Amino acid sequence: MVETGLIRTVVGIIGNVISLGLFLSPIPTMAAIMRQKSVENFKPDPYIATVLNCFVWTFYGLPFVHPDSTLVVTINGAGAAIELFYVLIFVIFSSWGKRRKIFVALVVEVVFMAILIFVTLYFLHTTDDRTTVVGIIAVVFNIVMYAAPLTVMKMVISTKSVKYMPLALAIGNAANGAVWVVYACLRFDPYVLIPNGLGTLSGILQLTLYAIFYKTTNWDGDDDENRDDENRSDNNSNGNGSNNNRRGRGEVQLVDVA
């Protein structure tokens, strides 16, 4: 009979591979930014948020916080490095005003991690206590980050279009969450189970929306322009008369790894 520990390791390795693929998915966006030498309407916020998320999960997986979680450390450490590279691209090709905001956000993240590490190591003296505190913080961060895909799903429902919700990313998120759910169940870890369970549910919901609205999607037209026409009509009917700015299309990245 195969040992549970071996199965858990294999599942964790599979999770690492899938998660790495998700971390690398924004490469075409970064290539476009470097080619155009401008970030245009792309925003660094998801990447900055993911850096902190990876930092917290890497700390969670260390042996003096949550033992036997090497695969949590490997993928989140790699994810942090990849996301920092993306942030660096935004720093290079952004205006000074945007750079300053990025620097401020990164300083805040470093200060937060320093405080978390200090409190954990000096005031919590058992791995159980450290696991609980750091695990809860990590779960809260993951739940907050779910606001991003929720806005995308809301847009899909309102426009009846899945044009800007990539199918591959939805499949990847669902598969990634499912693998880490299995990993968490093999040696029960609620702090890994909760965010990845939500990630699986989010991926399934996105796939469901894709199936529902695929046929109503205008693949050749510009949905943004159509929405702006509707917004201008609404504004005119309300006596407002002002034009709405066209929404910039950005990427939303959420990788649940633990």
Side-chain angles (χ1 to χ4, degrees):
M1 186 174 183
V2 181
E3 294 183 0
T4 302
L6 178 59
I7 298 175
R8 184 171 179 265
T9 299
V10 172
V11 171
I13 292 173
I14 295 172
N16 269 237
V17 173
I18 297 175
S19 298
L20 182 62
L22 291 174
F23 278 128
L24 295 174
S25 62
I27 285 180
T29 297
M30 299 301 140
I33 290 174
M34 290 188 290
R35 185 170 56 251
Q36 297 166 5
K37 300 186 185 307
S38 171
V39 297
E40 294 188 328
N41 290 326
F42 292 108
K43 296 184 180 298
D45 305 34
Y47 308 102
I48 295 173
T50 306
V51 167
L52 181 57
N53 192 53
C54 288
F55 280 166
V56 174
W57 279 111
T58 299
F59 184 53
Y60 174 86
L62 294 176
F64 48 81
V65 176
H66 189 69
D68 301 322
S69 299
T70 303
L71 292 172
V72 174
V73 176
T74 55
I75 188 56
N76 284 284
I82 293 170
E83 298 297 323
L84 281 171
F85 175 71
Y86 296 155
V87 172
L88 177 61
I89 291 176
F90 274 91
V91 169
I92 294 173
F93 295 105
S94 294
S95 63
W96 169 243
K98 291 181 179 180
R99 288 178 187 171
R100 184 172 54 188
K101 291 180 181 179
I102 293 173
F103 286 138
V104 169
L106 291 176
V107 168
V108 171
E109 291 186 353
V110 170
V111 171
F112 175 84
M113 283 305 304
I115 294 172
L116 177 61
I117 292 171
F118 176 78
V119 170
T120 302
L121 298 183
Y122 284 90
F123 294 99
L124 304 174
H125 303 295
T126 66
T127 54
D128 287 342
D129 290 340
R130 292 171 178 176
T131 294
T132 300
V133 172
V134 180
I136 289 174
I137 291 172
V139 169
V140 169
F141 279 2
N142 269 125
I143 292 175
V144 169
M145 289 179 69
Y146 278 110
L150 285 177
T151 57
V152 174
M153 287 188 275
K154 179 181 178 182
M155 182 184 72
V156 169
I157 294 172
S158 62
T159 63
K160 293 181 173 54
S161 171
V162 294
K163 190 172 184 177
Y164 301 119
M165 188 176 74
L167 177 60
L169 197 57
I171 294 174
N173 281 327
N176 183 64
V179 169
W180 286 105
V181 164
V182 174
Y183 177 88
C185 290
L186 287 171
R187 194 181 114 180
F188 187 66
D189 187 339
Y191 306 111
V192 174
L193 179 62
I194 292 171
N196 286 287
L198 291 173
T200 305
L201 179 60
S202 174
I204 292 173
L205 287 175
Q206 290 179 60
L207 292 174
T208 302
L209 289 176
Y210 200 94
I212 293 173
F213 295 111
Y214 179 82
K215 291 184 178 180
T216 60
T217 300
N218 181 10
W219 297 101
D220 297 323
D222 193 328
D223 294 331
D224 285 343
E225 289 182 351
N226 291 337
R227 283 196 300 272
D228 283 342
D229 290 341
E230 293 175 1
N231 288 332
R232 282 192 289 271
S233 297
D234 291 340
N235 287 336
N236 290 333
S237 65
N238 291 331
N240 192 332
S242 61
N243 292 331
N244 290 331
N245 292 328
R246 179 174 175 174
R247 294 183 197 172
R249 294 176 208 146
E251 284 194 2
V252 173
Q253 186 190 25
L254 178 63
V255 184
D256 298 319
V257 245

